[in-house]
Amino acid sequence: MQARITHLDGMRGLAILMVIAYHAWARWPELLPYVAATQHLPLFSFGWAGVQLFFMISGFVIFMTLDKSESYISFLQKRWLRLFPAMLIASLLLYIAGGFFPEWSLMTPYAKNLLPGLLFINPETLTQLTGISFHSMAGSFWSLYVEALFYLIIGAVYFTAGRKFCLPALILPMLLLSAASVVKSLGYPLLVDIISKLGFIHYAWFMVGCLVYERLHGRDRRYHYLLVALALLINFSYYVKNSGAVALIPLVAVLLFFIASFRMTRIQHFLSLRLFTATGFISYALYLIHENLMIAMLIKVNHIIKSDTVMMILPPVMVIVLSGVAYLITRYAEPALRRALQKKRLPATPATGSDV
């Protein structure tokens, strides 16, 4: 399995590079004039599908973590220790940096906005539940809210009903979301709003990863494929409704690429290139900090440099700098904080990115 873990580390690197490309050259034309010339290029405009790659990887490795956990509480502790240290460090970094970038309103230097990330709860849900207006410290945090809830659900099912019920349990929230209009007609609009913000629509991608893992271990069943096919149909319908049929192109592409990577050594060798594995090592920290800091720096620099041509080639420079920051977080700050939270001395071996 080690070769597969290596290529999954490289896939994390590819995924974060896709997301960065999307944010740098396609996501913000209203803030960065040069993006008007690059936003429709598929290499950049489809980069958002890197998040779906992350979700499939998480689905694949989740059973590894579950199998190595003694209990539900132990599993949640492992997940929390995996996610929280980097989130805390990144959130504080973004909070401190916010005051230096008043040009971009999304750099929110308000202490209350630390809460969604540190609690791994969608700020819109927090706002609905408390009546206090919350915002994320970074827009990219949204996928962590989805992932954290996924861990809560699949862990609860695994340690109560058993692993054979995990995939069926994941389809239920998607079906609930599909029935939201009926629930709303019964007079529960607030409940529908809360459900719609929980990210259940993305569970199809976790399910793909879970199924691939189970297949590799000979535990796949025919009904698993039916469940995953239904989940993907629901997910695809959502994207077609909100973004048009063209959204199916990157979604199908990353789906096929993920599956093929477990069968084709050529893809595994490609993903094992140092560029991808090294980026995969820092992918979590880089994912947390890249969008806000990169876009904020680009906006500030754009006030000085008026050339769109020059601005187009600046994102890689910004990413190199941020990659250095992400490396320091991943290699030193995150393990130190994790050891402090565990309240015991452990070998200072950094996380490999295997997420287990």
Side-chain angles (χ1 to χ4, degrees):
M1 286 297 296
Q2 185 59 42
R4 291 194 180 99
I5 293 299
T6 299
H7 97 261
L8 286 182
D9 290 340
M11 193 176 292
R12 285 188 179 88
L14 175 63
I16 184 59
L17 290 175
M18 289 173 63
V19 174
I20 289 173
Y22 171 67
H23 288 148
W25 288 292
R27 175 66 177 86
W28 298 106
E30 68 273 24
L31 299 176
L32 300 166
Y34 74 87
V35 173
T38 59
Q39 63 178 326
H40 299 299
L41 298 176
L43 181 64
F44 305 134
S45 63
F46 291 159
W48 53 267
V51 176
Q52 277 66 33
L53 271 181
F54 278 126
F55 287 157
M56 286 187 284
I57 295 168
S58 292
F60 181 88
V61 303
I62 197 64
F63 279 131
M64 295 183 194
T65 310
L66 287 165
D67 290 342
K68 294 180 180 180
S69 301
E70 298 78 22
S71 66
Y72 184 42
I73 298 301
S74 171
F75 167 71
L76 293 182
Q77 288 175 337
K78 288 181 179 180
R79 293 292 81 207
W80 185 77
L81 285 170
R82 173 70 181 93
L83 297 180
F84 182 78
M87 175 62 83
L88 175 59
I89 296 166
S91 295
L92 291 175
L93 175 60
L94 294 173
Y95 174 68
I96 294 170
F100 296 94
F101 298 101
E103 299 90 348
W104 193 24
S105 61
L106 292 186
M107 292 293 287
T108 54
Y110 302 107
K112 67 176 182 177
N113 291 332
L114 291 168
L115 282 179
L118 300 183
L119 296 176
F120 294 98
I121 298 177
N122 190 304
E124 294 174 322
T125 300
L126 275 181
T127 299
Q128 289 172 327
L129 294 176
T130 65
I132 302 172
S133 178
F134 288 97
H135 298 278
S136 287
M137 293 304 300
S140 57
F141 285 12
W142 74 267
S143 65
L144 275 303
Y145 309 140
V146 175
E147 193 142 341
L149 185 56
F150 162 68
Y151 294 149
L152 287 172
I153 293 174
I154 196 169
V157 175
Y158 180 91
F159 286 105
T160 55
R163 74 185 305 135
K164 66 180 180 179
F165 292 102
C166 286
L167 279 171
L170 291 176
I171 194 68
L172 293 179
M174 298 192 70
L175 294 174
L176 176 63
L177 182 63
S178 299
S181 58
V182 177
V183 176
K184 191 171 185 177
S185 68
L186 295 176
Y188 301 98
L190 177 59
L191 178 60
V192 171
D193 288 341
I194 292 175
I195 291 172
S196 66
K197 300 297 191 299
L198 295 179
F200 293 146
I201 194 66
H202 304 289
Y203 280 22
W205 303 99
F206 295 120
M207 292 174 68
V208 170
C210 290
L211 179 56
V212 171
Y213 183 84
E214 294 296 77
R215 177 177 174 79
L216 290 176
H217 291 80
R219 290 188 292 260
D220 57 315
R221 299 291 183 268
R222 287 185 178 179
Y223 74 90
H224 288 163
Y225 294 89
L226 294 175
L227 291 175
V228 173
L230 176 59
L232 287 172
L233 180 62
I234 294 172
N235 185 267
F236 288 169
S237 298
Y238 167 83
Y239 277 98
V240 169
K241 178 181 178 181
N242 290 279
S243 304
V246 70
L248 294 180
I249 297 174
L251 293 176
V252 173
V254 295
L255 172 65
L256 296 178
F257 180 80
F258 179 81
I259 295 172
S261 72
F262 293 91
R263 301 181 62 88
M264 300 177 63
T265 56
R266 184 172 297 181
I267 295 179
Q268 293 179 10
H269 291 157
F270 171 71
L271 292 173
S272 297
L273 292 174
R274 183 62 178 168
L275 168 65
F276 297 125
T277 58
T279 308
F281 173 69
I282 62 172
S283 60
Y284 179 39
L286 185 57
Y287 180 80
L288 294 176
I289 68 173
H290 82 276
E291 183 180 14
N292 269 30
L293 293 180
M294 177 179 67
I295 301 302
M297 288 189 291
L298 287 170
I299 292 173
K300 188 176 284 289
V301 171
N302 194 51
H303 289 163
I304 303 171
I305 300 176
K306 305 299 182 180
S307 169
D308 285 353
T309 302
V310 174
M311 289 299 301
M312 283 183 193
I313 62 176
L314 282 182
V317 178
M318 307 289 188
V319 172
I320 290 173
V321 173
L322 293 177
S323 294
V325 176
Y327 177 80
L328 293 176
I329 293 173
T330 305
R331 181 65 179 84
Y332 300 106
E334 184 183 354
L337 179 55
R338 184 177 294 114
R339 290 195 299 272
L341 291 170
Q342 289 174 312
K343 295 183 179 178
K344 58 183 179 181
R345 294 288 178 180
L346 296 176
T349 302
T352 63
S354 63
D355 208 32
V356 297

